[in-house]
Amino acid sequence: MGIESILVFLIVGAIAGWLAGLIVSGFGFGLVGNIVVGIVGAFIAGFLFPAIGISLGSGIVAAILHSTIGAVILLVLIKVIKRA
């Protein structure tokens, strides 16, 4: 993996985490936290979407959308666990 791929990976993670923080009220983790939330969200969506047969296409916009949906799922799960 080249430096360009790592940079794109981090940028997509940051954007996805930031968008997920806006969608799920009460969550904002700063730049590093948003990157982590976005990357973990991408992994969650990467396992979940193929299992239920959803494909969002390819490209940078699809990657951001994919990661954002996974990050929203992660933040909702964190919110539910914190309430319990």
Side-chain angles (χ1 to χ4, degrees):
M1 184 183 298
I3 190 72
E4 297 89 9
S5 298
I6 294 171
L7 188 62
V8 168
F9 195 63
L10 293 175
I11 290 171
V12 167
I15 293 170
W18 174 72
L19 286 173
L22 290 177
I23 294 169
V24 179
S25 62
F27 284 94
F29 296 108
L31 180 61
V32 175
N34 285 344
I35 290 172
V36 171
V37 167
I39 291 171
V40 172
F43 282 116
I44 290 171
F47 287 118
L48 184 63
F49 285 2
I52 59 177
I54 295 176
S55 175
L56 299 177
S58 62
I60 193 80
V61 175
I64 292 171
L65 184 60
H66 189 261
S67 299
T68 301
I69 293 170
V72 166
I73 293 169
L74 174 67
L75 292 179
V76 168
L77 286 174
I78 290 172
K79 198 173 196 179
V80 166
I81 290 171
K82 277 189 169 182
R83 282 188 183 171

